[in-house]
Amino acid sequence: MKSRWNDAEAAQFTGALGPRVYTSRLLGRDKSLVLHGGGNTSVKLREKDLFGEEGEVLYVKGSGWDMETIEAAGFAPVKLDYVRRLASLPSLSDPQMVNELATHTLRAGAPAPSVETILHAILPHKYVDHTHADAVLSISNSPDGEQRVRDIYGDKVVVIPYIMAGFDLAACCAREFPRQASKNAVGMVLLSHGVFSFSADARESYELMIELVSLAEKYLQAKKAWSIGLPPAPAPGFQREAAAKLRHDVSAAAGFPLLCRCNDTPRFLGFARHADVARISQGGPATPDHVIRTKPRPMLGRDVAGFGAAYREYFARNAKQAREPKTILDVAPRMALDPELGLAAFGRTAKDTGIVEELYEHTIDVILRAEALGGWRALEDRHTFDIEYWDLEQAKLKKAGKPPVFAGEVALVTGAASGIGKACVEAFLGRGAAVVGLDRNPAIATLFARPDYLGLACDLVDVAAIQAAMDAAVRRFGGLDMLVLNAGIFPASQAVKDIDAQLWKSAMTVNVEANLLVLQACHGLLKLAPRAGRVVVIGSKNVPAPGIGAAAYSASKAALNQLARVAALEWARDGIRINTIHPNAVYDTALWTEEVLASRAKAYNLTVEQYRKNNLLKTEVSSKDVAELAAEMCGPLFAKTTGAQVPVDGGTEKLV
Ligand code: ZN
């Protein structure tokens, strides 16, 4: 492990907290040290209050901040003397500890100080750095882990047995640190948890962390336990309906829809097919830091009921020893190891599934290296239970409140690069869905840069391209709950007697046949949607009220309308609802070029301006108006409606 320190970069971080912010970010960049909000750092500064009285302030990483991107505002300033004294109390409950930290924070609006704040306070050094380094975990979670740690570091580190984070751990360190620390001590190893380094200088504290972790890495290398290959496993070919079925079953066990992210790259597939996978994966996690996101262990294969039964047993066994009564959260796994699918990671958001995948990728390294040292030793069940059902974590869950209406669900939108399609992507993302956008325009890939969006360039008249897009969508999000058929073309105006055969054909191909192909590709997935599938078809006012010169368009949209109606009849038995929106006068779309607009206006003997608001309400209809209705049609408001056709057109005289 190399130091990432760079003088020029460091110089950009000014102010009293500058060096603290910089070296925290350096730690955060190294994913084998800290992952996703894990780890924490602090600095002790002398500051004057408004009366000119000087006191020591501990700036400690606040919860909700990620080390890689932390800023000065991400550190919570707490009264050092007071917080340090807390460690001398005989006991302190976790909620009490959180209360004391919050009421001794010196800046209104500061984030909640880390639950490891007291630990930072009791260490006498100005800078304190804490990570959950993979290499140190591999060693401490192997046979004779503690002895190995002592052999590697000698009197350089203080060694603390495993105790859950919070007051008890801090109190133990407060007792053990002065007892064990020699004048050579530059760090502290918490077995099955992580490592601390400290110094009077920010750079030195950071470099010491790198040095301590490097010693662990060198030890693993010397023991031939560093680069552990897995036997190559041929990729079995992605089975998207198997993945969607698994997501369906896991969501049912959880009681709410979950996304599922599948990864069958050689590392995950190799681990899932490891001869000893049952033993090495079922022990438990590498560090308590992971339990909340991953649950204690992955499911093996796809036996969701079996996993739930085992989880109930684990709960019953451990809940008896808990001080407070606990209620079971849910019995669904948060990851599965499957010999065909590789790793499947479950979560309510795409960010969560990405985190589970990354955590487990590191866990695989930690496990395989510990195995090479003689055998992987995971955290015991009673410890993982304490973390999973920790008061503080339960309080966080309660605080998180009600999730958005489409949390854990997946929407697919065709023709999503612009106009109504793009507005639909926004409407569904805004309601918490993960969204797959398809479009012929390659710009679709980068339309939004966020983990819950996947943009795929796809020609919807190409069956193979649709299949590939569906595979990519299910690999990323696990299935499909909602489908918006929006892609379409508006051919140039032609009188019936003059219609060009090619123009007629392309209207039918894009506006009818492409939608049929997408429906066919999606049916099996929609059937497996945890809360039943929903389809919204973007039709047209031209279906009930066709326009002069628009025969190809009107006929193709009418055919699509009939297709949707028949699908609503046939798919009702699968619980799938199909409703149609008939928009009109939506001019902020790619269809409505200036040319088309002028030609349509002319067909009605109107000016462009008159044509824009040519409806009963004399109003303009926007893409967003249509998209919001499309999203609502997939929500609870339309839960009992299928086969409906709803206009969004400002009112059409002939139809009212
Ligand atoms: Zn920690």
Side-chain angles (χ1 to χ4, degrees):
M1 169 158 295
K2 290 214 161 49
S3 165
R4 294 167 184 253
W5 181 277
N6 175 307
D7 283 330
E9 207 179 33
Q12 290 161 25
F13 291 82
T14 52
L17 282 168
R20 180 66 289 170
V21 172
Y22 178 55
T23 54
S24 302
R25 288 191 185 186
L26 291 184
L27 293 173
R29 279 184 210 166
D30 214 313
K31 298 302 167 204
S32 70
L33 291 176
V34 293
L35 280 168
H36 306 291
N40 41 59
T41 55
S42 67
V43 59
K44 302 175 181 83
L45 299 174
R46 289 198 74 80
E47 286 183 354
K48 277 186 184 153
D49 64 18
L50 294 180
F51 301 100
E53 282 170 25
E54 214 177 57
E56 276 199 291
V57 179
L58 172 69
Y59 282 86
V60 65
K61 197 200 99 168
S63 65
W65 286 79
D66 213 278
M67 297 261 266
E68 192 178 1
T69 50
I70 198 162
E71 293 165 21
F75 288 90
V78 296
K79 266 179 101 94
L80 179 60
D81 290 351
Y82 184 86
V83 172
R84 193 178 268 158
R85 261 186 87 192
L86 291 175
S88 66
L89 289 170
S91 71
L92 185 67
S93 77
D94 290 320
Q96 275 176 319
M97 177 185 80
V98 168
N99 180 67
E100 294 310 298
L101 295 178
T103 52
H104 290 81
T105 299
L106 298 169
R107 190 180 73 236
S114 157
V115 293
E116 290 176 325
T117 297
I118 305 177
L119 234 168
H120 284 259
I122 56 116
L123 294 169
H125 313 79
K126 181 171 177 180
Y127 287 92
V128 175
D129 293 30
H130 171 41
T131 70
H132 305 127
D134 291 352
V136 176
L137 291 172
S138 286
I139 294 165
S140 88
N141 293 26
S142 71
D144 306 317
E146 178 172 353
Q147 193 52 50
R148 290 176 198 266
V149 168
R150 291 191 191 276
D151 291 347
I152 294 166
Y153 296 116
D155 63 355
K156 273 187 167 165
V157 303
V158 168
V159 181
I160 306 289
Y162 178 79
I163 299 172
M164 196 174 102
F167 176 77
D168 293 345
L169 175 61
C172 172
C173 292
R175 285 192 306 274
E176 282 297 308
F177 188 80
R179 203 177 66 77
Q180 282 191 42
S182 75
K183 62 178 186 342
N184 297 327
V186 294
M188 182 162 74
V189 172
L190 311 184
L191 298 173
S192 303
H193 175 151
V195 54
F196 281 78
S197 62
F198 34 73
S199 166
D201 176 72
R203 177 173 180 177
E204 191 178 66
S205 185
Y206 167 72
E207 303 274 12
L208 283 168
M209 175 62 71
I210 301 302
E211 191 186 315
L212 291 173
V213 177
S214 295
L215 283 171
E217 292 185 351
K218 282 196 192 107
Y219 178 87
L220 289 167
Q221 280 158 5
K223 299 280 179 190
K224 306 238 176 312
W226 179 246
S227 303
I228 312 292
L230 285 165
F238 186 62
Q239 301 288 322
R240 69 170 184 263
E241 290 194 7
K245 171 79 167 69
L246 178 59
R247 169 184 176 247
H248 169 273
D249 294 351
V250 171
S251 298
F256 43 80
L258 287 160
L259 301 178
C260 168
R261 184 182 173 105
C262 294
N263 189 327
D264 60 2
T265 50
R267 193 79 178 156
F268 285 112
L269 205 55
F271 191 76
R273 294 178 171 194
H274 192 288
D276 281 328
V277 67
R279 177 177 58 82
I280 58 181
S281 73
Q282 297 301 295
T287 159
D289 200 44
H290 297 179
V291 176
I292 305 300
R293 305 216 183 247
T294 62
K295 293 213 162 178
R297 50 181 63 82
M299 172 169 69
L300 283 182
R302 304 174 205 172
D303 180 8
V304 180
F307 181 91
Y311 189 86
R312 279 196 185 85
E313 253 173 62
Y314 154 87
F315 182 89
R317 212 175 334 112
N318 291 285
K320 274 187 222 143
Q321 292 153 20
R323 272 175 275 182
E324 308 275 331
K326 315 272 182 199
T327 20
I328 206 159
L329 293 173
D330 67 66
V331 297
R334 289 299 181 270
M335 51 188 176
L337 289 168
D338 183 89
E340 303 294 317
L341 295 170
L343 176 84
F346 307 99
R348 288 224 89 178
T349 66
K351 190 174 166 216
D352 287 345
T353 57
I355 290 174
V356 170
E357 179 190 78
E358 200 171 355
L359 290 181
Y360 209 70
E361 189 164 18
H362 285 267
T363 302
I364 288 175
D365 285 343
V366 174
I367 290 176
L368 292 178
R369 287 171 187 156
E371 275 292 288
L373 287 182
W376 161 245
R377 304 276 192 278
L379 271 182
E380 291 170 43
D381 275 357
R382 64 191 167 93
H383 294 321
T384 60
F385 182 85
D386 287 346
I387 293 284
E388 194 178 358
Y389 285 89
W390 197 5
D391 297 342
L392 301 184
E393 291 299 334
Q394 301 241 307
K396 253 194 243 167
L397 286 175
K398 273 190 202 129
K399 226 169 109 186
K402 215 174 152 217
V405 60
F406 294 152
E409 295 197 290
V410 187
L412 187 143
V413 181
T414 68
S418 62
I420 291 172
K422 186 178 174 209
C424 284
V425 174
E426 287 165 351
F428 282 87
L429 286 173
R431 287 164 171 81
V435 180
V436 181
L438 302 187
D439 205 290
R440 275 187 306 195
N441 182 351
I444 190 73
T446 50
L447 197 60
F448 299 92
R450 41 190 290 174
D452 49 2
Y453 170 78
L454 176 66
L456 299 167
C458 180
D459 186 346
L460 298 176
V461 295
D462 177 347
V463 178
I466 295 172
Q467 296 298 332
M470 300 310 295
D471 277 353
V474 178
R475 271 177 194 276
R476 180 68 65 85
F477 299 130
L480 184 63
D481 302 87
M482 299 168 282
L483 169 65
V484 181
L485 293 177
N486 165 69
I489 52 169
F490 194 110
S493 284
Q494 284 178 349
V496 172
K497 67 179 174 51
D498 301 326
I499 290 175
D500 174 69
Q502 199 50 47
L503 177 135
W504 177 267
K505 204 173 163 214
S506 72
M508 290 299 170
T509 304
V510 177
N511 291 349
V512 190
E513 195 187 328
N515 286 311
L516 172 65
L517 296 178
V518 175
L519 281 170
Q520 288 172 331
C522 291
H523 177 245
L525 297 174
L526 290 167
K527 233 171 116 168
L528 289 166
R531 289 198 295 205
R534 288 140 276 166
V535 180
V536 175
V537 177
I538 306 299
S540 169
K541 181 221 67 172
N542 280 40
V543 173
I548 294 163
Y553 181 73
S554 302
S556 65
K557 283 290 188 178
L560 171 62
N561 199 59
Q562 290 302 82
L563 171 64
R565 294 175 72 192
V566 177
L569 291 170
E570 291 181 0
W571 294 2
R573 73 175 75 100
D574 302 319
I576 302 170
R577 303 190 278 107
I578 303 174
N579 294 299
T580 297
I581 298 177
H582 290 317
N584 191 36
V586 182
Y587 300 119
D588 58 344
T589 72
L591 292 183
W592 289 93
T593 59
E594 288 301 318
E595 211 180 21
V596 174
L597 201 54
S599 114
R600 296 308 305 152
K602 203 174 153 209
Y604 286 91
N605 277 327
L606 295 172
T607 66
V608 168
E609 187 51 29
Q610 285 168 329
Y611 185 71
R612 273 177 182 280
K613 294 184 177 177
N614 187 23
N615 56 56
L616 287 173
L617 296 172
K618 300 287 172 225
T619 186
E620 271 196 56
V621 183
S622 71
S623 293
K624 192 180 175 201
D625 296 325
V626 180
E628 290 293 309
L629 179 61
E632 286 304 312
M633 279 183 157
C634 293
L637 204 59
F638 280 74
K640 294 173 185 179
T641 301
T642 192
Q645 303 177 42
V646 182
V648 187
D649 60 358
T652 301
E653 200 170 359
K654 287 183 277 179
L655 299 175
V656 173

